DNA sequence: TCTAATAGTACCTATTATAGGACTTTACGG
DNA sequence: CCGTAAAGTCCTATAATAGGTACTATTAGA
């Protein structure tokens, strides 16, 4: 039994597949190269033929390998990943990356007395308009969005705020001044609701971004909670020295 | 029974435990709070009592919850995580957030002919010094780092580069000019190697940051590949409008 | 054609995971 | 003490996992 297979709550064949996958994706075995024969893997991992074959079957289903009776098992390469959707986090380019994307409204309601805002990010407004949406690009939903827009801002252009991307609209309105913009990213997994909305697996890795825009008085006029699909989205950051 | 867990190669109870664990560690359920009763979880997750109880048993073994017959199941936080480690991605504050953290050298070697650099991020240098490290804060390793430092820079202060955080050293050397700094963040899961180094579960969600620092000629004098623990680290970004 | 290499198949046994249902035990408040 | 809330236990049945053994089929090279 290979020392790495220590998780008693995951099947051996799943763990073996993980280790084999890692060796392929990390470059230990190159494309076109033959994997060790089943007998060798059995010996190395200390598991039965069944276990190795099940692991290899998983990898073949993913397109990482191809098995050939009489010849061996060969690395075919990682399945081609769809190209990343890159979202920039600098203000100027961020607005530009929204162009060409679509947005679908899920739900809108009012909220009074929202207090769940971390000190240092801003102070809550008296009332918010809560807008739930999905953002997408092409065929894919890439983000689940729940945002709070200060009711006073919302009332300046309600129809636009429900039909367009929020921040460009805010930018276009003279009565709204965005004085600071901060974001905090955490990394977690998709719960049931997000999984369904973004059409990903429960427990799939996601990025969670809280974005807070404040006016001159330090009032949070926009609080966005955005969940990005880890398999589709990458974030680009300029360090601006 | 219809349930939402899609991974056919991981037991349901393991997947359920993963989701429950995430809800606790991400703050959905606070310390002292009662979890929904078993019947409610059965209904929400679409699984049997046995499956829920097995998932809860895992979490109890980890000290995350305590189960009490007749009363309910409560978040104990006995294995409470240190509060979020916040890393800022703006240059000035980024350097400051490194203070107080520790670094452990894993491996150092030379590399010639590195080409795996995406156009737009910079052009590769002729030779790099590859430094593998773990970064930590207090008792916890929070990042697995594999960085490439242009050999010419490395030779300016080899002992310092192997003992200290790289970027502050680069900043302190007059002969090195950092002209641009870009970062790209993706979200994925920990593979075998990272899991072992950071002492997290294989497949735990992680953030992967590629950071590229270029000199005036556009040569990538530093290429850092940093894997952050999703359960410990959050990244703060200023939008700099 | 033959041999060696290698994966695939078949069959069996044993254990674990999963699921459903019913009943028991414990805790707490009135 | 009683009723309600909630976890714990037990039983049955099916499916999944894992290991072991032996034989078959395919491929490539001499």
């Amino acid at each position: 039994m290979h020392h790495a297979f220590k998780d008693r709550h995951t099947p051996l064949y799943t763990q073996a597949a993980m280790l084999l996958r890692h060796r392929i994706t990390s470059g230990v075995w190159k494309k076109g190269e033959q994997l060790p024969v089943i007998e060798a893997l059995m010996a190395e991992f200390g598991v039965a033929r069944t276990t190795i074959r099940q692991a290899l079957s998983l990898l073949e289903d993913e397109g990482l390998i191809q098995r050939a009776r009489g010849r061996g098992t060969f690395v075919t390469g990682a399945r081609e990943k769809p190209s990343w959707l890159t979202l920039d986090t600098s203000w100027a380019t961020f607005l530009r990356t929204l162009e060409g994307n679509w947005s679908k409204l899920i739900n809108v309601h009012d909220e009074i007395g929202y207090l769940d805002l971390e000190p240092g990010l801003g102070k809550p407004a008296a009332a918010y308009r809560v807008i739930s949406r999905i953002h997408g690009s092409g065929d894919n939903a890439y983000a689940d969005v729940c945002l709070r827009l200060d009711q006073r801002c919302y009332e300046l252009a309600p129809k636009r705020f429900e039909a367009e991307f929020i921040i460009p609209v805010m930018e276009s309105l003279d009565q709204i001044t965005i004085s600071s913009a901060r974001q905090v990213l955490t990394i977690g997994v998709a719960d049931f609701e997000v999984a369904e909305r973004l059409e990903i697996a429960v427990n799939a890795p996601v990025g969670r971004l809280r974005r807070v825009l404040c006016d001159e008085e330090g009032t949070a006029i926009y609080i966005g909670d955005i969940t990005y699909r880890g398999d589709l989205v990458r974030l680009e950051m300029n360090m601006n020295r």
Side-chain angles (χ1 to χ4, degrees), chain A residues 132-180:
Chain A
S132 295
R133 288 177 155 175
I134 301 178
H135 286 190
S137 174
D139 289 339
N140 298 296
Y142 67 81
D144 182 64
V145 180
C146 175
L147 64 93
R148 288 167 175 80
L149 183 65
D150 187 328
Q151 190 70 261
R152 296 168 303 170
C153 298
Y154 176 76
E155 280 159 5
L156 297 173
K159 281 192 169 67
R160 288 188 67 196
F161 279 123
E162 294 194 15
E164 301 172 40
F165 285 101
I166 302 294
I167 296 178
V169 178
M170 291 173 84
E171 277 280 274
S172 72
L173 296 173
D174 290 332
Q175 304 96 310
I176 296 180
T177 303
I178 298 167
S179 181
S180 74

Side-chain angles (χ1 to χ4, degrees), chain A residues 90-241:
Chain A
S90 318
W91 190 261
T93 47
F94 166 72
L95 295 185
R96 227 182 299 136
T97 63
L98 291 179
E99 292 167 13
N101 295 350
W102 50 264
S103 167
K104 178 180 165 191
L105 192 64
I106 303 290
N107 183 269
V108 182
H109 67 273
D110 292 327
E111 186 174 57
I112 291 170
Y114 181 76
L115 292 176
D116 190 12
L117 189 59
E118 193 177 310
L121 285 184
K123 66 180 197 281
Y128 288 105
R129 188 68 166 164
V130 183
I131 301 175
S132 295
R133 288 177 155 175
I134 301 178
H135 286 190
S137 174
D139 289 339
N140 298 296
Y142 67 81
D144 182 64
V145 180
C146 175
L147 64 93
R148 288 167 175 80
L149 183 65
D150 187 328
Q151 190 70 261
R152 296 168 303 170
C153 298
Y154 176 76
E155 280 159 5
L156 297 173
K159 281 192 169 67
R160 288 188 67 196
F161 279 123
E162 294 194 15
E164 301 172 40
F165 285 101
I166 302 294
I167 296 178
V169 178
M170 291 173 84
E171 277 280 274
S172 72
L173 296 173
D174 290 332
Q175 304 96 310
I176 296 180
T177 303
I178 298 167
S179 181
S180 74
R182 284 195 76 75
Q183 309 184 102
V184 179
L185 181 83
T186 59
I187 294 146
V189 299
D191 210 316
F192 293 109
E193 203 167 53
V194 166
E196 186 166 335
R197 289 208 183 128
L198 297 183
E199 295 180 355
I200 55 177
V202 175
N203 286 328
V206 293
R208 291 228 176 74
L209 189 67
R210 168 157 274 207
R211 179 182 292 135
V212 180
L213 310 183
C214 294
D215 62 15
E216 298 106 326
E217 278 110 49
T219 301
I221 56 177
Y222 168 106
I223 303 172
D225 289 307
I226 304 144
T227 304
Y228 292 110
R229 286 177 61 166
D231 62 344
L232 203 50
V233 174
R234 67 181 194 177
L235 300 175
E236 203 165 299
M237 295 172 270
N238 212 355
M239 277 184 100
N240 298 299
R241 40 186 326 269

